[in-house]
Amino acid sequence: MKLPNGNKAVVAIEKLEGYCLNPYHDKGKHKARVFMRALGIGPEHASILKQALLHHAMNSEAIEINSNQFGKHYLVDFLWEHDGKKAELRSKWTVRNGEDFPRLGSCYVKRRIKD
């Protein structure tokens, strides 16, 4: 299945710069270190990561993982290459109750792909 209304997906650049790619964030620093090791990207690369996430929100397969009082939650995994390095990324999305578009909750490197 595709992510519902993936063409309307929302990715807050602040979530990428300030959390997922921020090596100084209390909780996000571990993700950030793996992004740097696996793909060589940091906060300054947030806009290209955002574009990749939006592309895959529209075009990649999604799995609904659960539904709760906040809405429905989905996973979208995809392969991404940056500067000659490859990794499988996992993105988590929520379609909130009363909304018809997915919002990025988190993303991280699921596994590094070595040539």
PDB file of all heavy atoms in Angstrom, residues 14 17 19 27 44 61 75 87:
ATOM      1  N   GLU A  14      12.695  21.639  10.796  1.00  0.00           N
ATOM      2  CA  GLU A  14      13.236  21.753  12.150  1.00  0.00           C
ATOM      3  C   GLU A  14      13.433  20.384  12.795  1.00  0.00           C
ATOM      4  O   GLU A  14      14.351  20.189  13.592  1.00  0.00           O
ATOM      5  CB  GLU A  14      12.314  22.602  13.029  1.00  0.00           C
ATOM      6  CG  GLU A  14      12.117  24.023  12.559  1.00  0.00           C
ATOM      7  CD  GLU A  14      11.077  24.157  11.439  1.00  0.00           C
ATOM      8  OE1 GLU A  14      10.267  23.229  11.226  1.00  0.00           O
ATOM      9  OE2 GLU A  14      11.104  25.202  10.771  1.00  0.00           O
ATOM     10  N   GLU A  17      16.779  19.168  11.114  1.00  0.00           N
ATOM     11  CA  GLU A  17      17.944  19.948  11.561  1.00  0.00           C
ATOM     12  C   GLU A  17      18.161  19.858  13.069  1.00  0.00           C
ATOM     13  O   GLU A  17      19.296  19.733  13.529  1.00  0.00           O
ATOM     14  CB  GLU A  17      17.757  21.430  11.204  1.00  0.00           C
ATOM     15  CG  GLU A  17      17.830  21.731   9.751  1.00  0.00           C
ATOM     16  CD  GLU A  17      17.478  23.175   9.442  1.00  0.00           C
ATOM     17  OE1 GLU A  17      16.813  23.840  10.263  1.00  0.00           O
ATOM     18  OE2 GLU A  17      17.880  23.636   8.369  1.00  0.00           O
ATOM     19  N   TYR A  19      16.757  17.670  15.329  1.00  0.00           N
ATOM     20  CA  TYR A  19      16.622  16.390  16.029  1.00  0.00           C
ATOM     21  C   TYR A  19      17.370  15.261  15.295  1.00  0.00           C
ATOM     22  O   TYR A  19      18.420  14.827  15.748  1.00  0.00           O
ATOM     23  CB  TYR A  19      15.133  16.057  16.201  1.00  0.00           C
ATOM     24  CG  TYR A  19      14.872  14.697  16.806  1.00  0.00           C
ATOM     25  CD1 TYR A  19      15.320  14.375  18.080  1.00  0.00           C
ATOM     26  CD2 TYR A  19      14.181  13.729  16.099  1.00  0.00           C
ATOM     27  CE1 TYR A  19      15.096  13.125  18.632  1.00  0.00           C
ATOM     28  CE2 TYR A  19      13.942  12.474  16.648  1.00  0.00           C
ATOM     29  CZ  TYR A  19      14.393  12.175  17.902  1.00  0.00           C
ATOM     30  OH  TYR A  19      14.178  10.942  18.446  1.00  0.00           O
ATOM     31  N   LYS A  27      18.317  13.458  22.689  1.00  0.00           N
ATOM     32  CA  LYS A  27      17.778  12.177  22.225  1.00  0.00           C
ATOM     33  C   LYS A  27      18.141  11.870  20.778  1.00  0.00           C
ATOM     34  O   LYS A  27      18.262  10.711  20.406  1.00  0.00           O
ATOM     35  CB  LYS A  27      16.263  12.154  22.391  1.00  0.00           C
ATOM     36  CG  LYS A  27      15.845  12.206  23.843  1.00  0.00           C
ATOM     37  CD  LYS A  27      14.348  12.160  23.987  1.00  0.00           C
ATOM     38  CE  LYS A  27      13.975  12.238  25.456  1.00  0.00           C
ATOM     39  NZ  LYS A  27      12.535  12.279  25.660  1.00  0.00           N
ATOM     40  N   GLU A  44      23.285  20.438   7.934  1.00  0.00           N
ATOM     41  CA  GLU A  44      23.357  21.253   6.710  1.00  0.00           C
ATOM     42  C   GLU A  44      22.770  20.535   5.494  1.00  0.00           C
ATOM     43  O   GLU A  44      22.553  21.136   4.449  1.00  0.00           O
ATOM     44  CB  GLU A  44      24.804  21.687   6.432  1.00  0.00           C
ATOM     45  CG  GLU A  44      25.746  20.555   6.077  1.00  0.00           C
ATOM     46  CD  GLU A  44      26.336  19.801   7.264  1.00  0.00           C
ATOM     47  OE1 GLU A  44      25.883  19.975   8.417  1.00  0.00           O
ATOM     48  OE2 GLU A  44      27.265  19.010   7.029  1.00  0.00           O
ATOM     49  N   GLU A  61       6.367   2.060  -0.887  1.00  0.00           N
ATOM     50  CA  GLU A  61       5.367   1.285  -0.166  1.00  0.00           C
ATOM     51  C   GLU A  61       5.391   1.645   1.311  1.00  0.00           C
ATOM     52  O   GLU A  61       6.446   1.925   1.879  1.00  0.00           O
ATOM     53  CB  GLU A  61       5.628  -0.213  -0.335  1.00  0.00           C
ATOM     54  CG  GLU A  61       5.394  -0.705  -1.749  1.00  0.00           C
ATOM     55  CD  GLU A  61       3.949  -0.554  -2.200  1.00  0.00           C
ATOM     56  OE1 GLU A  61       3.040  -0.993  -1.468  1.00  0.00           O
ATOM     57  OE2 GLU A  61       3.723   0.025  -3.281  1.00  0.00           O
ATOM     58  N   LEU A  75       5.029   3.091   8.449  1.00  0.00           N
ATOM     59  CA  LEU A  75       6.468   3.037   8.182  1.00  0.00           C
ATOM     60  C   LEU A  75       6.684   3.066   6.682  1.00  0.00           C
ATOM     61  O   LEU A  75       5.955   2.402   5.933  1.00  0.00           O
ATOM     62  CB  LEU A  75       7.083   1.748   8.725  1.00  0.00           C
ATOM     63  CG  LEU A  75       7.064   1.512  10.223  1.00  0.00           C
ATOM     64  CD1 LEU A  75       7.665   0.145  10.539  1.00  0.00           C
ATOM     65  CD2 LEU A  75       7.815   2.613  10.956  1.00  0.00           C
ATOM     66  N   ALA A  87      22.391   3.676   2.197  1.00  0.00           N
ATOM     67  CA  ALA A  87      21.798   3.178   3.435  1.00  0.00           C
ATOM     68  C   ALA A  87      20.307   2.963   3.215  1.00  0.00           C
ATOM     69  O   ALA A  87      19.699   3.585   2.341  1.00  0.00           O
ATOM     70  CB  ALA A  87      22.018   4.161   4.583  1.00  0.00           C
TER      71      ALA A  87
END
